[in-house]
Short mmCIF file of all heavy atoms in Angstrom, two decimals:
data_model
loop_
_atom_site.label_atom_id
_atom_site.label_comp_id
_atom_site.label_asym_id
_atom_site.label_seq_id
_atom_site.Cartn_x
_atom_site.Cartn_y
_atom_site.Cartn_z
N ILE A 26 -11.62 -22.99 -0.40
CA ILE A 26 -10.25 -23.40 -0.07
C ILE A 26 -10.30 -24.59 0.90
O ILE A 26 -9.66 -25.62 0.67
CB ILE A 26 -9.44 -22.23 0.56
CG1 ILE A 26 -9.25 -21.11 -0.48
CG2 ILE A 26 -8.10 -22.70 1.09
CD1 ILE A 26 -8.78 -19.78 0.09
N ALA A 27 -11.10 -24.46 1.95
CA ALA A 27 -11.16 -25.53 2.97
C ALA A 27 -11.61 -26.85 2.34
O ALA A 27 -11.07 -27.92 2.66
CB ALA A 27 -12.09 -25.12 4.10
N GLN A 28 -12.58 -26.78 1.43
CA GLN A 28 -13.10 -28.02 0.82
C GLN A 28 -12.07 -28.68 -0.10
O GLN A 28 -12.14 -29.87 -0.34
CB GLN A 28 -14.37 -27.71 0.02
CG GLN A 28 -15.57 -27.52 0.91
CD GLN A 28 -16.78 -26.95 0.16
OE1 GLN A 28 -16.68 -26.55 -1.00
NE2 GLN A 28 -17.92 -26.92 0.83
N SER A 29 -11.13 -27.89 -0.62
CA SER A 29 -10.19 -28.44 -1.61
C SER A 29 -8.89 -28.95 -0.99
O SER A 29 -8.04 -29.44 -1.72
CB SER A 29 -9.81 -27.37 -2.62
OG SER A 29 -10.95 -26.82 -3.16
N VAL A 30 -8.72 -28.77 0.31
CA VAL A 30 -7.43 -29.17 0.89
C VAL A 30 -7.59 -30.25 1.97
O VAL A 30 -6.68 -30.46 2.76
CB VAL A 30 -6.68 -27.94 1.47
CG1 VAL A 30 -6.36 -26.94 0.38
CG2 VAL A 30 -7.47 -27.27 2.58
N THR A 31 -8.71 -30.94 1.93
CA THR A 31 -8.97 -31.93 2.99
C THR A 31 -7.90 -33.04 3.01
O THR A 31 -7.65 -33.62 4.04
CB THR A 31 -10.36 -32.58 2.80
OG1 THR A 31 -10.45 -33.00 1.45
CG2 THR A 31 -11.48 -31.62 3.12
N ASP A 32 -7.29 -33.30 1.83
CA ASP A 32 -6.31 -34.39 1.77
C ASP A 32 -4.86 -33.90 1.89
O ASP A 32 -3.93 -34.68 1.71
CB ASP A 32 -6.49 -35.15 0.44
CG ASP A 32 -6.37 -34.21 -0.77
OD1 ASP A 32 -6.55 -32.98 -0.58
OD2 ASP A 32 -6.07 -34.70 -1.86
N ILE A 33 -4.66 -32.63 2.18
CA ILE A 33 -3.28 -32.10 2.25
C ILE A 33 -2.79 -32.15 3.70
O ILE A 33 -3.35 -31.49 4.57
CB ILE A 33 -3.22 -30.62 1.80
CG1 ILE A 33 -3.86 -30.43 0.44
CG2 ILE A 33 -1.79 -30.06 1.85
CD1 ILE A 33 -3.02 -30.79 -0.72
N SER A 34 -1.74 -32.93 3.93
CA SER A 34 -1.19 -32.91 5.28
C SER A 34 0.24 -32.38 5.29
O SER A 34 0.76 -32.00 6.33
CB SER A 34 -1.26 -34.30 5.91
OG SER A 34 -0.70 -35.20 5.01
N ALA A 35 0.85 -32.33 4.10
CA ALA A 35 2.26 -31.93 4.04
C ALA A 35 2.45 -30.42 4.17
O ALA A 35 3.57 -29.95 4.32
CB ALA A 35 2.86 -32.40 2.72
N ARG A 36 1.39 -29.65 4.09
CA ARG A 36 1.54 -28.19 4.11
C ARG A 36 0.64 -27.54 5.15
O ARG A 36 -0.50 -27.99 5.33
CB ARG A 36 1.22 -27.63 2.73
CG ARG A 36 2.26 -28.18 1.76
CD ARG A 36 2.56 -27.33 0.60
NE ARG A 36 3.83 -27.82 0.05
CZ ARG A 36 4.17 -27.82 -1.22
NH1 ARG A 36 3.36 -27.30 -2.10
NH2 ARG A 36 5.33 -28.28 -1.60
N GLU A 37 1.17 -26.52 5.79
CA GLU A 37 0.34 -25.74 6.71
C GLU A 37 -0.32 -24.64 5.87
O GLU A 37 0.36 -24.00 5.04
CB GLU A 37 1.25 -25.13 7.80
CG GLU A 37 0.48 -24.45 8.90
CD GLU A 37 1.42 -23.88 9.99
OE1 GLU A 37 2.66 -23.99 9.88
OE2 GLU A 37 0.88 -23.29 10.95
N ILE A 38 -1.59 -24.44 6.06
CA ILE A 38 -2.34 -23.51 5.20
C ILE A 38 -2.96 -22.41 6.07
O ILE A 38 -3.59 -22.69 7.08
CB ILE A 38 -3.45 -24.27 4.44
CG1 ILE A 38 -2.82 -25.40 3.61
CG2 ILE A 38 -4.25 -23.31 3.55
CD1 ILE A 38 -3.78 -26.49 3.24
N LEU A 39 -2.76 -21.18 5.62
CA LEU A 39 -3.21 -20.03 6.40
C LEU A 39 -3.89 -19.02 5.48
O LEU A 39 -3.41 -18.76 4.38
CB LEU A 39 -1.98 -19.38 7.05
CG LEU A 39 -2.16 -18.05 7.77
CD1 LEU A 39 -3.00 -18.23 9.03
CD2 LEU A 39 -0.81 -17.44 8.11
N ILE A 40 -5.00 -18.45 5.97
CA ILE A 40 -5.59 -17.33 5.22
C ILE A 40 -5.71 -16.12 6.16
O ILE A 40 -6.00 -16.27 7.35
CB ILE A 40 -6.96 -17.69 4.59
CG1 ILE A 40 -7.95 -18.24 5.62
CG2 ILE A 40 -6.78 -18.68 3.45
CD1 ILE A 40 -9.34 -18.53 5.06
N CYS A 41 -5.48 -14.95 5.60
CA CYS A 41 -5.54 -13.71 6.39
C CYS A 41 -6.53 -12.75 5.73
O CYS A 41 -6.15 -11.90 4.93
CB CYS A 41 -4.15 -13.07 6.48
SG CYS A 41 -2.91 -14.15 7.20
N PRO A 42 -7.81 -12.91 6.05
CA PRO A 42 -8.84 -12.03 5.48
C PRO A 42 -8.81 -10.66 6.17
O PRO A 42 -8.11 -10.48 7.17
CB PRO A 42 -10.16 -12.75 5.84
CG PRO A 42 -9.77 -14.06 6.47
CD PRO A 42 -8.37 -13.92 6.95
N PRO A 43 -9.60 -9.70 5.68
CA PRO A 43 -9.69 -8.43 6.40
C PRO A 43 -10.34 -8.63 7.77
O PRO A 43 -11.06 -9.62 7.97
CB PRO A 43 -10.57 -7.57 5.48
CG PRO A 43 -11.23 -8.50 4.54
CD PRO A 43 -10.39 -9.73 4.45
N PHE A 44 -10.11 -7.70 8.68
CA PHE A 44 -10.62 -7.84 10.06
C PHE A 44 -12.12 -8.12 10.10
O PHE A 44 -12.58 -8.92 10.91
CB PHE A 44 -10.37 -6.55 10.85
CG PHE A 44 -8.92 -6.26 11.12
CD1 PHE A 44 -8.42 -4.96 11.00
CD2 PHE A 44 -8.04 -7.26 11.51
CE1 PHE A 44 -7.09 -4.68 11.25
CE2 PHE A 44 -6.71 -6.99 11.76
CZ PHE A 44 -6.23 -5.70 11.63
N THR A 45 -12.87 -7.46 9.21
CA THR A 45 -14.33 -7.58 9.26
C THR A 45 -14.83 -8.98 8.98
O THR A 45 -15.95 -9.33 9.34
CB THR A 45 -14.96 -6.61 8.23
OG1 THR A 45 -14.23 -6.72 7.01
CG2 THR A 45 -14.92 -5.17 8.73
N SER A 46 -13.99 -9.80 8.33
CA SER A 46 -14.43 -11.16 7.98
C SER A 46 -13.89 -12.23 8.93
O SER A 46 -14.23 -13.40 8.79
CB SER A 46 -13.94 -11.50 6.55
OG SER A 46 -14.55 -10.66 5.61
N LEU A 47 -13.05 -11.83 9.89
CA LEU A 47 -12.35 -12.86 10.67
C LEU A 47 -13.29 -13.83 11.39
O LEU A 47 -13.13 -15.04 11.28
CB LEU A 47 -11.39 -12.20 11.68
CG LEU A 47 -10.12 -11.58 11.09
CD1 LEU A 47 -9.34 -10.84 12.18
CD2 LEU A 47 -9.24 -12.64 10.45
N THR A 48 -14.24 -13.30 12.14
CA THR A 48 -15.04 -14.23 12.96
C THR A 48 -15.92 -15.13 12.08
O THR A 48 -16.07 -16.32 12.36
CB THR A 48 -15.93 -13.48 13.98
OG1 THR A 48 -16.66 -12.48 13.29
CG2 THR A 48 -15.12 -12.87 15.08
N ALA A 49 -16.45 -14.56 11.01
CA ALA A 49 -17.30 -15.37 10.12
C ALA A 49 -16.46 -16.46 9.46
O ALA A 49 -16.88 -17.63 9.39
CB ALA A 49 -17.95 -14.48 9.07
N VAL A 50 -15.26 -16.11 9.01
CA VAL A 50 -14.38 -17.10 8.37
C VAL A 50 -13.94 -18.15 9.39
O VAL A 50 -13.84 -19.34 9.09
CB VAL A 50 -13.18 -16.42 7.68
CG1 VAL A 50 -12.13 -17.44 7.26
CG2 VAL A 50 -13.65 -15.62 6.46
N ALA A 51 -13.69 -17.70 10.63
CA ALA A 51 -13.27 -18.66 11.67
C ALA A 51 -14.32 -19.77 11.82
O ALA A 51 -13.96 -20.95 11.97
CB ALA A 51 -13.08 -17.94 13.00
N ASP A 52 -15.57 -19.42 11.75
CA ASP A 52 -16.64 -20.44 11.87
C ASP A 52 -16.60 -21.43 10.71
O ASP A 52 -16.75 -22.62 10.90
CB ASP A 52 -18.03 -19.75 11.86
CG ASP A 52 -18.34 -19.18 13.23
OD1 ASP A 52 -17.68 -19.60 14.21
OD2 ASP A 52 -19.23 -18.32 13.32
N ILE A 53 -16.38 -20.90 9.52
CA ILE A 53 -16.38 -21.75 8.31
C ILE A 53 -15.19 -22.72 8.30
O ILE A 53 -15.30 -23.84 7.83
CB ILE A 53 -16.30 -20.83 7.04
CG1 ILE A 53 -17.60 -20.10 6.84
CG2 ILE A 53 -15.91 -21.61 5.80
CD1 ILE A 53 -18.70 -20.95 6.27
N ILE A 54 -14.04 -22.27 8.80
CA ILE A 54 -12.85 -23.13 8.69
C ILE A 54 -12.59 -23.95 9.96
O ILE A 54 -11.59 -24.67 10.02
CB ILE A 54 -11.58 -22.32 8.31
CG1 ILE A 54 -11.25 -21.26 9.37
CG2 ILE A 54 -11.74 -21.70 6.93
CD1 ILE A 54 -9.94 -20.53 9.11
N ARG A 55 -13.48 -23.83 10.95
CA ARG A 55 -13.28 -24.61 12.18
C ARG A 55 -13.21 -26.10 11.82
O ARG A 55 -13.97 -26.58 10.98
CB ARG A 55 -14.42 -24.35 13.15
CG ARG A 55 -14.20 -24.99 14.50
CD ARG A 55 -15.10 -24.41 15.59
NE ARG A 55 -14.79 -23.02 15.88
CZ ARG A 55 -15.67 -22.02 15.77
NH1 ARG A 55 -16.91 -22.24 15.37
NH2 ARG A 55 -15.30 -20.78 16.04
N ASN A 56 -12.28 -26.82 12.42
CA ASN A 56 -12.08 -28.25 12.16
C ASN A 56 -11.71 -28.58 10.71
O ASN A 56 -12.01 -29.65 10.21
CB ASN A 56 -13.33 -29.07 12.54
CG ASN A 56 -13.66 -28.89 14.00
OD1 ASN A 56 -12.76 -28.81 14.83
ND2 ASN A 56 -14.95 -28.79 14.31
N THR A 57 -11.08 -27.62 10.02
CA THR A 57 -10.54 -27.92 8.69
C THR A 57 -9.02 -27.75 8.77
O THR A 57 -8.48 -27.42 9.82
CB THR A 57 -11.08 -26.93 7.61
OG1 THR A 57 -10.46 -25.65 7.80
CG2 THR A 57 -12.60 -26.81 7.66
N LYS A 58 -8.35 -27.91 7.64
CA LYS A 58 -6.88 -27.77 7.61
C LYS A 58 -6.44 -26.31 7.51
O LYS A 58 -5.25 -26.01 7.47
CB LYS A 58 -6.33 -28.51 6.39
CG LYS A 58 -6.64 -30.00 6.41
CD LYS A 58 -5.37 -30.80 6.57
CE LYS A 58 -5.61 -32.18 7.12
NZ LYS A 58 -5.93 -33.17 6.13
N VAL A 59 -7.40 -25.40 7.42
CA VAL A 59 -7.05 -24.00 7.16
C VAL A 59 -7.01 -23.20 8.46
O VAL A 59 -7.93 -23.29 9.29
CB VAL A 59 -8.08 -23.37 6.19
CG1 VAL A 59 -7.68 -21.94 5.84
CG2 VAL A 59 -8.20 -24.21 4.92
N LYS A 60 -5.94 -22.44 8.64
CA LYS A 60 -5.79 -21.61 9.84
C LYS A 60 -6.05 -20.14 9.50
O LYS A 60 -6.04 -19.76 8.33
CB LYS A 60 -4.37 -21.76 10.39
CG LYS A 60 -4.09 -23.18 10.85
CD LYS A 60 -2.69 -23.32 11.37
CE LYS A 60 -2.47 -24.73 11.89
NZ LYS A 60 -1.09 -24.90 12.38
#
Side-chain angles (χ1 to χ4, degrees):
I26 295 166
Q28 283 169 351
S29 307
V30 297
T31 49
D32 56 339
I33 307 280
S34 51
R36 296 209 163 147
E37 187 179 1
I38 302 159
L39 172 68
I40 54 177
C41 302
F44 293 138
T45 45
S46 296
L47 287 174
T48 51
V50 168
D52 280 343
I53 289 284
I54 61 174
R55 187 163 294 121
N56 301 322
T57 72
K58 299 247 157 86
V59 183
K60 297 179 177 178

